[in-house]
Amino acid sequence: LGFTQAYPPAMMLTMLRRGVSLVEVLVVTGLMTLLTLILTEIYFASYKVFEHGSAHTDIQQRCRETVNRIVPLIMGASEPALTQDAVYLPDNVDASRGSELWFYSPDDLFGNAVSDPRNPVFYFYRVRQLSGDVVLEKLAMNGTTLASPPPRVLGKAMGDLTFERIDTGLVQIEVAASAKVRGAVNRERTIDTKLRTTVSIPFYTSQ
């Protein structure tokens, strides 16, 4: 039998007009809502992982760049006299620690002056934290800060800075930084990173 023979015309018209029932619409809507919620949760979870990783990479890079700018300064330190160490602070007493590094150098780190090796002119410098940034300052020989030149920024928004004098020609640097990220249930939390390195001053190793 053909289709028209199996179903009378009146029944065919009723079937075509029936469409989708309310129950079917509710089921489909519920499934779509559930799928949307699942995809939204996956997106936010992935975004939080990305944000955490991005923030951690950023503070690691800040620490690394700051250390990379400090290391050459320490390596360029030199004794201005036989009775004075290349590093003035921290003291070379029982592995002294401090938040500032005072050192002498024959290099004009703020200008273009070239020191004569036969009669070197020494400069006095300090590395410390100033308003959260790590800066290099030029000092007078009596230890007072000079009004000019202005401090040079070596690292921005650092959490902590520590120097340890391990030996006469050995200085350890430790820098720390932190960042705030959104964690579970949108709560803010802090991630911290520290970077530590030891620098040997060539002036002493070449003796």
Side-chain angles (χ1 to χ4, degrees):
L1 295 176
F3 185 78
T4 54
Q5 293 176 328
Y7 298 97
M11 185 178 296
M12 284 179 56
L13 187 60
T14 302
M15 291 174 63
L16 292 173
R17 286 180 176 176
R18 185 176 67 84
V20 181
S21 68
L22 179 60
V23 174
E24 291 171 331
V25 171
L26 292 176
V27 169
V28 172
T29 303
L31 290 174
M32 292 296 294
T33 302
L34 181 61
L35 181 61
T36 302
L37 289 174
I38 292 173
L39 292 176
T40 302
E41 285 296 320
I42 292 173
Y43 169 78
F44 279 111
S46 301
Y47 178 76
K48 287 171 184 175
V49 170
F50 169 78
E51 185 181 37
H52 182 279
S54 179
H56 194 261
T57 301
D58 176 65
I59 59 177
Q60 279 186 325
Q61 183 174 353
R62 274 191 283 143
C63 289
R64 187 164 51 250
E65 288 177 351
T66 302
V67 168
N68 288 343
R69 293 186 182 114
I70 296 174
V71 168
L73 303 179
I74 299 176
M75 293 184 69
S78 182
E79 288 185 358
L82 293 175
T83 57
Q84 178 60 61
D85 290 342
V87 175
Y88 183 76
L89 286 176
D91 293 327
N92 187 21
V93 179
D94 299 325
S96 175
R97 292 171 62 91
S99 59
E100 297 184 1
L101 176 74
W102 296 35
F103 65 98
Y104 297 96
S105 175
D107 300 322
D108 184 5
L109 301 175
F110 286 87
N112 298 317
V114 179
S115 181
D116 185 353
R118 295 168 297 179
N119 188 25
V121 176
F122 284 87
Y123 303 91
F124 201 16
Y125 300 104
R126 172 173 60 191
V127 178
R128 64 166 177 155
Q129 272 192 290
L130 186 64
S131 301
D133 296 338
V134 176
V135 299
L136 171 68
E137 297 173 311
K138 192 173 185 178
L139 305 176
M141 281 302 180
N142 62 3
T144 59
T145 306
L146 297 175
S148 179
R152 179 191 299 170
V153 177
L154 304 176
K156 298 186 71 66
M158 303 305 296
D160 195 19
L161 174 67
T162 305
F163 297 99
E164 182 175 350
R165 188 85 171 277
I166 299 174
D167 200 353
T168 303
L170 212 58
V171 178
Q172 187 177 84
I173 314 166
E174 183 178 281
V175 296
S178 61
K180 294 186 181 297
V181 295
R182 295 285 179 180
V185 295
N186 213 31
R187 289 183 179 175
E188 194 174 65
R189 68 187 192 90
T190 303
I191 55 175
D192 302 290
T193 291
K194 286 185 178 181
L195 182 61
R196 181 185 301 163
T197 188
T198 302
V199 185
S200 178
I201 300 176
F203 175 82
Y204 295 102
T205 57
S206 61
Q207 298 296 311

